[in-house]
Amino acid sequence: HALVKPIPKKTSNSISDFRPISLTSSVCKVFEKILITLSFSKHIEKIISKARSKLYLLFNSFRSNTTDVYLKSFTTYILPGLETCSVIWNPVHAVEITMEIEKVQRDFTRKLYYRCSLPHTNYLIVTLERRRVITDIVFLHSTLHRKYELDYSSLLTLSPLTHFIRNSHPFRISLPFLPHNSHSTFASRTITIWNSLPYKSAFTSHDTFRKFLRSQPISFFPESI
């Protein structure tokens, strides 16, 4: 008992006083792993490895030639593991890692085409990189509309225009600092797209805003792979 020290009382300025986003436990687990290595690479390698194992099981568990069976299984059991908490670890500056993540879905589509005897032009699945960009922008939209109790003062500041510009919205942002070339935040990754959004889109509901982004052409999103 002599070795047990009392837990110090948290001050009102402690970062732990801020309630995290809805995926509290998942976010905390990711942060714990990152703090140990100060790198996202190990975490990403692990989720890729798990996804590949599930992909192997998927095509060994079913003998159907119906595409819906595989598409629903992929989006239910594999895709969430590749995207959980991506607003934290999105590797936009690591092209090789980005390609490794993307390769999981590419291998899935290749196996799908072969199993179901489909031409390769039959299905146009959105890239995982584009999905992460949409997730980043939707998270920014939700944050600014106070859907989450998040102190974002160290990540971004509201910076509305001092004069009117057609279609400009009052939720424009600026960055309080410039991240290092090898690092990024959801704000720094999306600032260009966010500030150029049409006026009405910035005021829409969460679900409507996500649908708006999904309906945009590929040229709307800056993809590197």
PDB file of all heavy atoms in Angstrom, residues 79-98:
ATOM      1  N   LEU A  79     -14.308  -2.769 -44.274  1.00  0.00           N
ATOM      2  CA  LEU A  79     -14.160  -1.324 -44.473  1.00  0.00           C
ATOM      3  C   LEU A  79     -14.100  -0.518 -43.175  1.00  0.00           C
ATOM      4  O   LEU A  79     -13.247   0.377 -43.049  1.00  0.00           O
ATOM      5  CB  LEU A  79     -15.290  -0.823 -45.371  1.00  0.00           C
ATOM      6  CG  LEU A  79     -15.159   0.595 -45.938  1.00  0.00           C
ATOM      7  CD1 LEU A  79     -13.864   0.739 -46.730  1.00  0.00           C
ATOM      8  CD2 LEU A  79     -16.356   0.937 -46.808  1.00  0.00           C
ATOM      9  N   PRO A  80     -14.963  -0.795 -42.182  1.00  0.00           N
ATOM     10  CA  PRO A  80     -14.894  -0.003 -40.941  1.00  0.00           C
ATOM     11  C   PRO A  80     -13.523  -0.057 -40.270  1.00  0.00           C
ATOM     12  O   PRO A  80     -13.059   0.939 -39.716  1.00  0.00           O
ATOM     13  CB  PRO A  80     -15.970  -0.653 -40.057  1.00  0.00           C
ATOM     14  CG  PRO A  80     -16.942  -1.227 -41.024  1.00  0.00           C
ATOM     15  CD  PRO A  80     -16.104  -1.740 -42.158  1.00  0.00           C
ATOM     16  N   GLY A  81     -12.863  -1.216 -40.321  1.00  0.00           N
ATOM     17  CA  GLY A  81     -11.543  -1.330 -39.710  1.00  0.00           C
ATOM     18  C   GLY A  81     -10.492  -0.496 -40.402  1.00  0.00           C
ATOM     19  O   GLY A  81      -9.489  -0.102 -39.789  1.00  0.00           O
ATOM     20  N   LEU A  82     -10.699  -0.206 -41.680  1.00  0.00           N
ATOM     21  CA  LEU A  82      -9.754   0.610 -42.450  1.00  0.00           C
ATOM     22  C   LEU A  82     -10.038   2.103 -42.325  1.00  0.00           C
ATOM     23  O   LEU A  82      -9.261   2.920 -42.824  1.00  0.00           O
ATOM     24  CB  LEU A  82      -9.810   0.219 -43.932  1.00  0.00           C
ATOM     25  CG  LEU A  82      -9.261  -1.158 -44.300  1.00  0.00           C
ATOM     26  CD1 LEU A  82      -9.616  -1.490 -45.741  1.00  0.00           C
ATOM     27  CD2 LEU A  82      -7.747  -1.207 -44.093  1.00  0.00           C
ATOM     28  N   GLU A  83     -11.144   2.456 -41.663  1.00  0.00           N
ATOM     29  CA  GLU A  83     -11.535   3.868 -41.635  1.00  0.00           C
ATOM     30  C   GLU A  83     -11.773   4.437 -40.239  1.00  0.00           C
ATOM     31  O   GLU A  83     -11.869   5.648 -40.086  1.00  0.00           O
ATOM     32  CB  GLU A  83     -12.815   4.052 -42.467  1.00  0.00           C
ATOM     33  CG  GLU A  83     -12.617   3.703 -43.936  1.00  0.00           C
ATOM     34  CD  GLU A  83     -13.808   4.069 -44.794  1.00  0.00           C
ATOM     35  OE1 GLU A  83     -14.946   3.992 -44.286  1.00  0.00           O
ATOM     36  OE2 GLU A  83     -13.603   4.431 -45.958  1.00  0.00           O
ATOM     37  N   THR A  84     -11.865   3.583 -39.229  1.00  0.00           N
ATOM     38  CA  THR A  84     -12.133   4.075 -37.882  1.00  0.00           C
ATOM     39  C   THR A  84     -11.078   5.087 -37.434  1.00  0.00           C
ATOM     40  O   THR A  84      -9.883   4.827 -37.513  1.00  0.00           O
ATOM     41  CB  THR A  84     -12.175   2.907 -36.877  1.00  0.00           C
ATOM     42  OG1 THR A  84     -13.210   1.994 -37.252  1.00  0.00           O
ATOM     43  CG2 THR A  84     -12.440   3.412 -35.466  1.00  0.00           C
ATOM     44  N   CYS A  85     -11.537   6.252 -36.993  1.00  0.00           N
ATOM     45  CA  CYS A  85     -10.658   7.319 -36.477  1.00  0.00           C
ATOM     46  C   CYS A  85      -9.682   7.836 -37.534  1.00  0.00           C
ATOM     47  O   CYS A  85      -8.598   8.319 -37.187  1.00  0.00           O
ATOM     48  CB  CYS A  85      -9.890   6.834 -35.255  1.00  0.00           C
ATOM     49  SG  CYS A  85     -10.917   6.281 -33.906  1.00  0.00           S
ATOM     50  N   SER A  86     -10.036   7.772 -38.809  1.00  0.00           N
ATOM     51  CA  SER A  86      -9.119   8.235 -39.861  1.00  0.00           C
ATOM     52  C   SER A  86      -8.849   9.739 -39.794  1.00  0.00           C
ATOM     53  O   SER A  86      -7.850  10.218 -40.334  1.00  0.00           O
ATOM     54  CB  SER A  86      -9.665   7.875 -41.245  1.00  0.00           C
ATOM     55  OG  SER A  86     -10.876   8.562 -41.518  1.00  0.00           O
ATOM     56  N   VAL A  87      -9.712  10.502 -39.113  1.00  0.00           N
ATOM     57  CA  VAL A  87      -9.451  11.936 -38.969  1.00  0.00           C
ATOM     58  C   VAL A  87      -8.194  12.181 -38.139  1.00  0.00           C
ATOM     59  O   VAL A  87      -7.607  13.264 -38.183  1.00  0.00           O
ATOM     60  CB  VAL A  87     -10.649  12.670 -38.306  1.00  0.00           C
ATOM     61  CG1 VAL A  87     -11.838  12.702 -39.235  1.00  0.00           C
ATOM     62  CG2 VAL A  87     -11.008  12.057 -36.970  1.00  0.00           C
ATOM     63  N   ILE A  88      -7.753  11.169 -37.397  1.00  0.00           N
ATOM     64  CA  ILE A  88      -6.536  11.283 -36.594  1.00  0.00           C
ATOM     65  C   ILE A  88      -5.308  10.854 -37.386  1.00  0.00           C
ATOM     66  O   ILE A  88      -4.282  11.532 -37.386  1.00  0.00           O
ATOM     67  CB  ILE A  88      -6.635  10.431 -35.315  1.00  0.00           C
ATOM     68  CG1 ILE A  88      -7.809  10.878 -34.459  1.00  0.00           C
ATOM     69  CG2 ILE A  88      -5.336  10.493 -34.512  1.00  0.00           C
ATOM     70  CD1 ILE A  88      -8.064   9.989 -33.263  1.00  0.00           C
ATOM     71  N   TRP A  89      -5.402   9.725 -38.103  1.00  0.00           N
ATOM     72  CA  TRP A  89      -4.193   9.131 -38.677  1.00  0.00           C
ATOM     73  C   TRP A  89      -4.093   9.211 -40.199  1.00  0.00           C
ATOM     74  O   TRP A  89      -3.150   8.659 -40.788  1.00  0.00           O
ATOM     75  CB  TRP A  89      -4.075   7.666 -38.255  1.00  0.00           C
ATOM     76  CG  TRP A  89      -5.268   6.799 -38.569  1.00  0.00           C
ATOM     77  CD1 TRP A  89      -6.250   6.428 -37.695  1.00  0.00           C
ATOM     78  CD2 TRP A  89      -5.611   6.192 -39.828  1.00  0.00           C
ATOM     79  NE1 TRP A  89      -7.179   5.624 -38.331  1.00  0.00           N
ATOM     80  CE2 TRP A  89      -6.810   5.461 -39.640  1.00  0.00           C
ATOM     81  CE3 TRP A  89      -5.014   6.184 -41.088  1.00  0.00           C
ATOM     82  CZ2 TRP A  89      -7.422   4.747 -40.670  1.00  0.00           C
ATOM     83  CZ3 TRP A  89      -5.627   5.479 -42.116  1.00  0.00           C
ATOM     84  CH2 TRP A  89      -6.815   4.772 -41.901  1.00  0.00           C
ATOM     85  N   ASN A  90      -5.002   9.866 -40.860  1.00  0.00           N
ATOM     86  CA  ASN A  90      -5.006   9.936 -42.327  1.00  0.00           C
ATOM     87  C   ASN A  90      -3.613  10.270 -42.880  1.00  0.00           C
ATOM     88  O   ASN A  90      -3.113  11.378 -42.683  1.00  0.00           O
ATOM     89  CB  ASN A  90      -6.012  10.997 -42.783  1.00  0.00           C
ATOM     90  CG  ASN A  90      -6.266  10.950 -44.274  1.00  0.00           C
ATOM     91  OD1 ASN A  90      -5.637  10.202 -45.011  1.00  0.00           O
ATOM     92  ND2 ASN A  90      -7.206  11.763 -44.720  1.00  0.00           N
ATOM     93  N   PRO A  91      -2.968   9.331 -43.589  1.00  0.00           N
ATOM     94  CA  PRO A  91      -1.559   9.515 -44.014  1.00  0.00           C
ATOM     95  C   PRO A  91      -1.420  10.244 -45.348  1.00  0.00           C
ATOM     96  O   PRO A  91      -0.885   9.706 -46.323  1.00  0.00           O
ATOM     97  CB  PRO A  91      -1.069   8.075 -44.132  1.00  0.00           C
ATOM     98  CG  PRO A  91      -2.270   7.331 -44.624  1.00  0.00           C
ATOM     99  CD  PRO A  91      -3.473   7.996 -43.982  1.00  0.00           C
ATOM    100  N   VAL A  92      -1.870  11.476 -45.418  1.00  0.00           N
ATOM    101  CA  VAL A  92      -1.883  12.186 -46.699  1.00  0.00           C
ATOM    102  C   VAL A  92      -0.486  12.445 -47.261  1.00  0.00           C
ATOM    103  O   VAL A  92      -0.318  12.621 -48.459  1.00  0.00           O
ATOM    104  CB  VAL A  92      -2.633  13.531 -46.566  1.00  0.00           C
ATOM    105  CG1 VAL A  92      -4.099  13.295 -46.327  1.00  0.00           C
ATOM    106  CG2 VAL A  92      -2.033  14.389 -45.452  1.00  0.00           C
ATOM    107  N   HIS A  93       0.537  12.499 -46.394  1.00  0.00           N
ATOM    108  CA  HIS A  93       1.896  12.783 -46.856  1.00  0.00           C
ATOM    109  C   HIS A  93       2.722  11.516 -47.053  1.00  0.00           C
ATOM    110  O   HIS A  93       3.883  11.597 -47.449  1.00  0.00           O
ATOM    111  CB  HIS A  93       2.616  13.715 -45.872  1.00  0.00           C
ATOM    112  CG  HIS A  93       1.955  15.059 -45.739  1.00  0.00           C
ATOM    113  ND1 HIS A  93       1.820  15.927 -46.800  1.00  0.00           N
ATOM    114  CD2 HIS A  93       1.375  15.671 -44.673  1.00  0.00           C
ATOM    115  CE1 HIS A  93       1.198  17.028 -46.397  1.00  0.00           C
ATOM    116  NE2 HIS A  93       0.919  16.889 -45.113  1.00  0.00           N
ATOM    117  N   ALA A  94       2.148  10.373 -46.766  1.00  0.00           N
ATOM    118  CA  ALA A  94       2.870   9.104 -46.906  1.00  0.00           C
ATOM    119  C   ALA A  94       2.259   8.325 -48.069  1.00  0.00           C
ATOM    120  O   ALA A  94       1.312   7.555 -47.879  1.00  0.00           O
ATOM    121  CB  ALA A  94       2.803   8.307 -45.611  1.00  0.00           C
ATOM    122  N   VAL A  95       2.792   8.534 -49.252  1.00  0.00           N
ATOM    123  CA  VAL A  95       2.216   7.939 -50.458  1.00  0.00           C
ATOM    124  C   VAL A  95       2.260   6.416 -50.406  1.00  0.00           C
ATOM    125  O   VAL A  95       1.291   5.743 -50.768  1.00  0.00           O
ATOM    126  CB  VAL A  95       2.954   8.446 -51.718  1.00  0.00           C
ATOM    127  CG1 VAL A  95       2.390   7.773 -52.964  1.00  0.00           C
ATOM    128  CG2 VAL A  95       2.833   9.961 -51.832  1.00  0.00           C
ATOM    129  N   GLU A  96       3.368   5.847 -49.943  1.00  0.00           N
ATOM    130  CA  GLU A  96       3.498   4.390 -49.907  1.00  0.00           C
ATOM    131  C   GLU A  96       2.460   3.757 -48.977  1.00  0.00           C
ATOM    132  O   GLU A  96       1.856   2.739 -49.304  1.00  0.00           O
ATOM    133  CB  GLU A  96       4.912   4.000 -49.471  1.00  0.00           C
ATOM    134  CG  GLU A  96       5.984   4.316 -50.511  1.00  0.00           C
ATOM    135  CD  GLU A  96       7.349   3.801 -50.092  1.00  0.00           C
ATOM    136  OE1 GLU A  96       7.436   3.155 -49.028  1.00  0.00           O
ATOM    137  OE2 GLU A  96       8.329   4.052 -50.824  1.00  0.00           O
ATOM    138  N   ILE A  97       2.273   4.382 -47.802  1.00  0.00           N
ATOM    139  CA  ILE A  97       1.286   3.857 -46.854  1.00  0.00           C
ATOM    140  C   ILE A  97      -0.122   4.008 -47.424  1.00  0.00           C
ATOM    141  O   ILE A  97      -0.957   3.106 -47.305  1.00  0.00           O
ATOM    142  CB  ILE A  97       1.392   4.593 -45.498  1.00  0.00           C
ATOM    143  CG1 ILE A  97       2.744   4.304 -44.845  1.00  0.00           C
ATOM    144  CG2 ILE A  97       0.251   4.179 -44.572  1.00  0.00           C
ATOM    145  CD1 ILE A  97       2.957   5.015 -43.535  1.00  0.00           C
ATOM    146  N   THR A  98      -0.386   5.145 -48.058  1.00  0.00           N
ATOM    147  CA  THR A  98      -1.685   5.375 -48.675  1.00  0.00           C
ATOM    148  C   THR A  98      -1.982   4.313 -49.726  1.00  0.00           C
ATOM    149  O   THR A  98      -3.103   3.794 -49.815  1.00  0.00           O
ATOM    150  CB  THR A  98      -1.735   6.773 -49.327  1.00  0.00           C
ATOM    151  OG1 THR A  98      -1.494   7.771 -48.333  1.00  0.00           O
ATOM    152  CG2 THR A  98      -3.101   7.029 -49.960  1.00  0.00           C
TER     153      THR A  98
END
